[in-house]
Short mmCIF file of all heavy atoms in Angstrom, two decimals:
data_model
loop_
_atom_site.label_atom_id
_atom_site.label_comp_id
_atom_site.label_asym_id
_atom_site.label_seq_id
_atom_site.Cartn_x
_atom_site.Cartn_y
_atom_site.Cartn_z
N VAL A 841 -10.68 4.02 27.13
CA VAL A 841 -9.96 3.12 26.23
C VAL A 841 -10.89 2.80 25.05
O VAL A 841 -12.01 2.31 25.26
CB VAL A 841 -9.54 1.82 26.94
CG1 VAL A 841 -8.84 0.88 25.95
CG2 VAL A 841 -8.63 2.13 28.11
N PRO A 842 -10.47 3.11 23.82
CA PRO A 842 -11.37 2.88 22.67
C PRO A 842 -11.60 1.39 22.42
O PRO A 842 -10.77 0.55 22.78
CB PRO A 842 -10.62 3.52 21.51
CG PRO A 842 -9.18 3.45 21.90
CD PRO A 842 -9.16 3.63 23.41
N THR A 843 -12.72 1.09 21.77
CA THR A 843 -13.02 -0.28 21.34
C THR A 843 -12.88 -0.35 19.83
O THR A 843 -13.30 0.55 19.09
CB THR A 843 -14.44 -0.69 21.74
OG1 THR A 843 -15.37 0.28 21.24
CG2 THR A 843 -14.57 -0.76 23.24
N CYS A 844 -12.28 -1.43 19.34
CA CYS A 844 -12.03 -1.62 17.91
C CYS A 844 -12.80 -2.86 17.43
O CYS A 844 -12.99 -3.82 18.19
CB CYS A 844 -10.54 -1.81 17.63
SG CYS A 844 -9.48 -0.55 18.39
N ASP A 845 -13.19 -2.85 16.18
CA ASP A 845 -13.87 -4.02 15.63
C ASP A 845 -12.86 -5.07 15.21
O ASP A 845 -11.64 -4.91 15.42
CB ASP A 845 -14.81 -3.62 14.49
CG ASP A 845 -14.07 -3.05 13.29
OD1 ASP A 845 -12.83 -3.20 13.20
OD2 ASP A 845 -14.73 -2.43 12.42
N SER A 846 -13.36 -6.14 14.58
CA SER A 846 -12.47 -7.25 14.23
C SER A 846 -11.45 -6.87 13.18
O SER A 846 -10.44 -7.56 13.02
CB SER A 846 -13.30 -8.44 13.74
OG SER A 846 -14.07 -8.07 12.60
N TYR A 847 -11.68 -5.77 12.47
CA TYR A 847 -10.73 -5.31 11.46
C TYR A 847 -9.78 -4.25 12.01
O TYR A 847 -8.96 -3.71 11.28
CB TYR A 847 -11.46 -4.76 10.24
CG TYR A 847 -12.24 -5.80 9.50
CD1 TYR A 847 -13.61 -5.92 9.67
CD2 TYR A 847 -11.60 -6.68 8.63
CE1 TYR A 847 -14.34 -6.88 9.00
CE2 TYR A 847 -12.31 -7.65 7.95
CZ TYR A 847 -13.69 -7.75 8.14
OH TYR A 847 -14.40 -8.71 7.46
N GLY A 848 -9.96 -3.91 13.29
CA GLY A 848 -9.10 -2.90 13.88
C GLY A 848 -9.60 -1.49 13.71
O GLY A 848 -8.89 -0.54 14.06
N ALA A 849 -10.79 -1.31 13.19
CA ALA A 849 -11.35 0.03 13.01
C ALA A 849 -12.13 0.43 14.25
O ALA A 849 -12.56 -0.41 15.05
CB ALA A 849 -12.27 0.06 11.79
N TYR A 850 -12.30 1.75 14.42
CA TYR A 850 -13.08 2.24 15.55
C TYR A 850 -14.52 1.77 15.43
O TYR A 850 -15.13 1.86 14.36
CB TYR A 850 -13.06 3.77 15.58
CG TYR A 850 -11.77 4.38 16.08
CD1 TYR A 850 -10.80 4.82 15.18
CD2 TYR A 850 -11.53 4.53 17.45
CE1 TYR A 850 -9.61 5.39 15.63
CE2 TYR A 850 -10.35 5.10 17.91
CZ TYR A 850 -9.40 5.52 17.00
OH TYR A 850 -8.23 6.08 17.45
N GLU A 851 -15.07 1.28 16.53
CA GLU A 851 -16.50 1.01 16.57
C GLU A 851 -17.24 2.35 16.50
O GLU A 851 -16.79 3.34 17.08
CB GLU A 851 -16.88 0.29 17.87
CG GLU A 851 -16.41 -1.14 17.96
CD GLU A 851 -17.27 -2.09 17.13
OE1 GLU A 851 -18.19 -1.60 16.46
OE2 GLU A 851 -17.01 -3.30 17.18
N PRO A 852 -18.38 2.42 15.77
CA PRO A 852 -19.08 3.71 15.64
C PRO A 852 -19.50 4.29 16.98
O PRO A 852 -19.54 5.51 17.15
CB PRO A 852 -20.28 3.36 14.76
CG PRO A 852 -19.90 2.12 14.04
CD PRO A 852 -19.02 1.36 14.98
N THR A 853 -19.81 3.42 17.96
CA THR A 853 -20.23 3.88 19.28
C THR A 853 -19.12 3.57 20.28
O THR A 853 -18.68 2.42 20.42
CB THR A 853 -21.53 3.19 19.71
OG1 THR A 853 -22.53 3.41 18.72
CG2 THR A 853 -22.01 3.74 21.05
N GLN A 854 -18.66 4.61 20.97
CA GLN A 854 -17.63 4.47 22.00
C GLN A 854 -18.23 4.85 23.35
O GLN A 854 -19.06 5.77 23.43
CB GLN A 854 -16.43 5.37 21.68
CG GLN A 854 -15.72 5.01 20.38
CD GLN A 854 -14.90 3.75 20.48
OE1 GLN A 854 -14.36 3.42 21.55
NE2 GLN A 854 -14.81 3.01 19.38
N CYS A 855 -17.83 4.17 24.37
CA CYS A 855 -18.35 4.43 25.71
C CYS A 855 -17.19 4.52 26.72
O CYS A 855 -16.14 3.86 26.56
CB CYS A 855 -19.31 3.33 26.16
SG CYS A 855 -20.83 3.24 25.16
N HIS A 856 -17.40 5.34 27.72
CA HIS A 856 -16.44 5.49 28.80
C HIS A 856 -16.85 4.54 29.93
O HIS A 856 -17.95 4.66 30.48
CB HIS A 856 -16.42 6.93 29.30
CG HIS A 856 -15.26 7.24 30.17
ND1 HIS A 856 -15.08 6.72 31.43
CD2 HIS A 856 -14.17 8.05 29.95
CE1 HIS A 856 -13.96 7.17 31.95
NE2 HIS A 856 -13.38 8.00 31.07
N ALA A 857 -15.97 3.61 30.27
CA ALA A 857 -16.32 2.58 31.25
C ALA A 857 -16.55 3.16 32.63
O ALA A 857 -17.35 2.63 33.41
CB ALA A 857 -15.22 1.52 31.31
N GLY A 858 -15.86 4.29 32.93
CA GLY A 858 -15.99 4.86 34.25
C GLY A 858 -17.22 5.72 34.42
O GLY A 858 -17.96 5.58 35.39
N THR A 859 -17.49 6.62 33.47
CA THR A 859 -18.61 7.56 33.60
C THR A 859 -19.91 7.01 33.05
O THR A 859 -20.99 7.52 33.36
CB THR A 859 -18.28 8.87 32.87
OG1 THR A 859 -18.19 8.60 31.46
CG2 THR A 859 -16.97 9.46 33.37
N GLY A 860 -19.82 6.01 32.18
CA GLY A 860 -21.03 5.45 31.58
C GLY A 860 -21.55 6.25 30.41
O GLY A 860 -22.57 5.90 29.81
N GLN A 861 -20.85 7.33 30.04
CA GLN A 861 -21.26 8.12 28.88
C GLN A 861 -20.84 7.43 27.59
O GLN A 861 -19.81 6.75 27.53
CB GLN A 861 -20.64 9.52 28.94
CG GLN A 861 -21.14 10.37 30.09
CD GLN A 861 -20.48 11.73 30.09
OE1 GLN A 861 -19.39 11.91 29.54
NE2 GLN A 861 -21.12 12.71 30.71
N CYS A 862 -21.67 7.63 26.52
CA CYS A 862 -21.37 7.07 25.20
C CYS A 862 -21.49 8.18 24.16
O CYS A 862 -22.26 9.13 24.33
CB CYS A 862 -22.31 5.91 24.86
SG CYS A 862 -22.15 4.48 25.96
N TRP A 863 -20.81 8.02 23.05
CA TRP A 863 -20.83 9.02 21.98
C TRP A 863 -20.49 8.35 20.66
O TRP A 863 -20.00 7.21 20.62
CB TRP A 863 -19.86 10.16 22.29
CG TRP A 863 -18.43 9.72 22.43
CD1 TRP A 863 -17.48 9.66 21.47
CD2 TRP A 863 -17.81 9.26 23.63
NE1 TRP A 863 -16.31 9.19 21.97
CE2 TRP A 863 -16.47 8.94 23.30
CE3 TRP A 863 -18.25 9.08 24.96
CZ2 TRP A 863 -15.56 8.46 24.25
CZ3 TRP A 863 -17.35 8.61 25.89
CH2 TRP A 863 -16.02 8.30 25.55
N CYS A 864 -20.76 9.04 19.57
CA CYS A 864 -20.44 8.54 18.23
C CYS A 864 -19.09 9.09 17.80
O CYS A 864 -18.73 10.24 18.12
CB CYS A 864 -21.51 8.95 17.22
SG CYS A 864 -23.16 8.35 17.59
N VAL A 865 -18.35 8.29 17.03
CA VAL A 865 -17.07 8.73 16.48
C VAL A 865 -17.06 8.51 14.97
O VAL A 865 -17.82 7.68 14.45
CB VAL A 865 -15.88 7.98 17.12
CG1 VAL A 865 -15.83 8.25 18.62
CG2 VAL A 865 -15.97 6.49 16.85
N ASP A 866 -16.21 9.27 14.30
CA ASP A 866 -16.03 9.05 12.86
C ASP A 866 -15.00 7.96 12.64
O ASP A 866 -14.55 7.30 13.58
CB ASP A 866 -15.67 10.36 12.16
CG ASP A 866 -14.37 10.97 12.67
OD1 ASP A 866 -13.57 10.23 13.29
OD2 ASP A 866 -14.15 12.18 12.45
#
Side-chain angles (χ1 to χ4, degrees):
V841 178
T843 54
C844 310
D845 64 15
S846 59
Y847 294 100
Y850 284 97
E851 289 282 3
T853 304
Q854 297 286 328
C855 295
H856 194 292
T859 66
Q861 294 180 337
C862 296
W863 60 91
C864 300
V865 298
D866 61 18

